[in-house]
Amino acid sequence: MVKIGVLGLQGAVREHIRSIEASGAEAVIVKKVEQLEEIDGLIIPGGESTTMRRLIDKYQFMEPLRAFAAEGKPMFGTCAGLILLAKKLVDYKEPHLGLMDVAVERNSFGRQRESFEAELMIPGIAEDFVGVFIRAPHIVEAGENVEVLAKHDGRIVAAREGQFLGCSFHPELTDDHRFTAYFVKMVEESKAKNLV
Ligand code: GLN
C-alpha cells in the first residue's frame, strides 16, 4: 500500500485524508519536514495560498518540498495547492514552489461566483464529476508537456504534467473519490517504477 501525505499547515486537510483512505491508500498529515521522507506522494490542499506560503517559509518547507519533487515523487495541488505548484502566477512576479508548467490566475471565476458546483467531464477518470469551486483559480496557460484533463466554461480546471496533478476545484469535498483515486494510481505507478 502506498502512503500519501497531506501538507497540514493550513486548509482542507482532513477531508483529503478521508478521501485518500477511501481510495485504498494510507494517509498521513504532514506537519514536519522529516515526514516527507516516509511518504510516496503529497497532496497540497486548498485553503489560502498566501497564508500557506507564509507557513511554508516559517516552517522551512520550501527547499524540502522542491527536493521531494526533484526525486520524482507525485504531487497533487488542489485549488490553493495548484497556485502553490504553478510555475507562473498571473499578476505576480514570483511563483511559490514553481514546479508545474502552468500559469495560474487566482480567484478567477469572479466575485459573483465565489463558490459554485459544476459537473465536469474528465475523460477516462470521471465523466460526470461534480466539482466544488471555492474562490477558485484556473489555469490560463499550459506548457507543452501538460495534459489538460478538464475544462469548465472554456477554462482549464484540471491538468497533469508527469508527476504533477493540479485542479481548481475541491475533489475532497464530495463523496466521489474518483479524482483522488486517479492520484493514488499515479503514486502507485511511480512507486512501482522506483522499485524496479
Ligand atoms: N482563493 C484562494 C487562494 O488564492 C484559493 C481558494 C481555495 O483553495 N479554495 O489561495
Side-chain angles (χ1 to χ4, degrees), residues 28-108:
V28 60
I29 300 179
V30 173
K31 286 187 180 272
K32 294 196 179 126
V33 165
E34 307 84 78
Q35 288 174 282
L36 292 173
E37 280 163 35
E38 48 175 82
I39 56 172
D40 306 302
L42 179 73
I43 293 180
I44 306 180
E48 183 56 42
S49 55
T50 46
T51 308
M52 226 183 293
R53 169 59 194 272
R54 206 161 24 79
L55 295 170
I56 283 173
D57 289 340
K58 181 169 175 195
Y59 296 104
Q60 292 166 359
F61 260 100
M62 198 50 128
E63 286 320 310
L65 286 172
R66 288 189 176 132
F68 186 85
E71 282 175 49
K73 293 203 174 148
M75 295 171 88
F76 177 18
T78 63
C79 204
L82 166 66
I83 296 169
L84 288 160
L85 277 185
K87 272 196 180 156
K88 272 193 228 151
L89 293 181
V90 174
D91 295 333
Y92 287 73
K93 277 206 191 92
E94 301 281 334
H96 297 296
L97 288 162
L99 294 168
M100 184 173 176
D101 194 10
V102 289
V104 169
E105 186 181 327
R106 292 179 70 196
N107 303 319
S108 56

Side-chain angles (χ1 to χ4, degrees), residues 151-171:
K151 285 188 178 181
H152 174 65
D153 277 355
R155 296 170 167 196
I156 304 171
V157 295
R160 174 177 178 178
E161 183 194 20
Q163 77 196 97
F164 302 118
L165 180 67
C167 67
S168 301
F169 49 90
H170 284 262

Side-chain angles (χ1 to χ4, degrees), residues 18-19 22 129 171-178:
R18 189 181 64 100
S19 192
F129 190 86
E172 78 287 6
L173 294 185
T174 66
D175 288 328
D176 186 341
H177 302 295
R178 285 177 293 174

